[in-house]
Amino acid sequence: MSMFSKFGAVAFMLAACSFPLMGCTVEMEPGDDIEAADEDLSDGDEIESVGEADQELSAEESSLVAPACNQCDNCVYYARCRQPALPYGLTSFQDKMNIVNTQTAKAGYVAIIQTSSSYGHVAYVTKVEGSKIFIAEGNWPNGQCGTRSGTKAALNIKGFFKP
């Protein structure tokens, strides 16, 4: 594979997790092997310009479009797919509360929700209209993806993670 093709493959994979429109299919860490990262591409594969469709959307608009997350059985994985800046290590409700950095809801933020479980819950904020907050979430209810809306109190939101 040419150097340009390798660069294109890596750029495509990085964009896949950085741009919500692409979904979250690949996570690369610093030091990951570029050769191994593009093994799945055959020599005949071509990579078109990444983000052509996204260029018509503003940065805020593109962060609000639902990606193909398919992480419906885990609220944190779903929220991280929608908001890639969500930190790791969010197992307990206290872990989730430790990342609260604002009490103001805004589209693109992650809501931290108290439940009867010691794990708590997180959900992605898709829209805010006055005091009504619209959320998209995984593993709610019963291992499925869904949406809800309500006030901060009605949804039992204790704070938000602002990326």
Side-chain angles (χ1 to χ4, degrees), residues 7-35:
F7 175 78
V10 172
F12 177 80
M13 286 185 280
L14 291 174
C17 278
S18 299
F19 255 156
L21 284 174
M22 303 292 291
C24 289
T25 56
V26 177
E27 280 190 28
M28 292 189 65
E29 299 291 330
D32 279 354
D33 182 14
I34 293 173
E35 295 288 334

Side-chain angles (χ1 to χ4, degrees), residues 95-114:
D95 294 336
K96 293 169 178 74
M97 284 299 296
N98 289 342
I99 66 163
V100 169
N101 57 9
T102 186
Q103 291 297 318
T104 305
K106 185 175 178 186
Y109 291 6
V110 176
I112 311 303
I113 301 171
Q114 188 168 25

Side-chain angles (χ1 to χ4, degrees), residues 113-155:
I113 301 171
Q114 188 168 25
T115 66
S116 60
S117 164
S118 63
Y119 297 107
H121 186 62
V122 296
Y124 180 77
V125 178
T126 58
K127 180 170 61 170
V128 178
E129 290 179 353
S131 64
K132 192 171 189 178
I133 302 166
F134 296 78
I135 58 174
E137 55 202 332
N139 201 21
W140 195 274
N142 304 320
Q144 298 186 17
C145 288
T147 58
R148 295 187 285 161
S149 64
T151 64
K152 184 177 173 187
L155 294 170

Side-chain angles (χ1 to χ4, degrees), residues 67-79 81-82 121-122 136-147:
C69 292
N70 301 322
Q71 297 290 336
C72 295
D73 61 346
N74 186 298
C75 65
V76 175
Y77 293 165
Y78 179 86
C81 183
R82 297 290 302 264
H121 186 62
V122 296
E137 55 202 332
N139 201 21
W140 195 274
N142 304 320
Q144 298 186 17
C145 288
T147 58

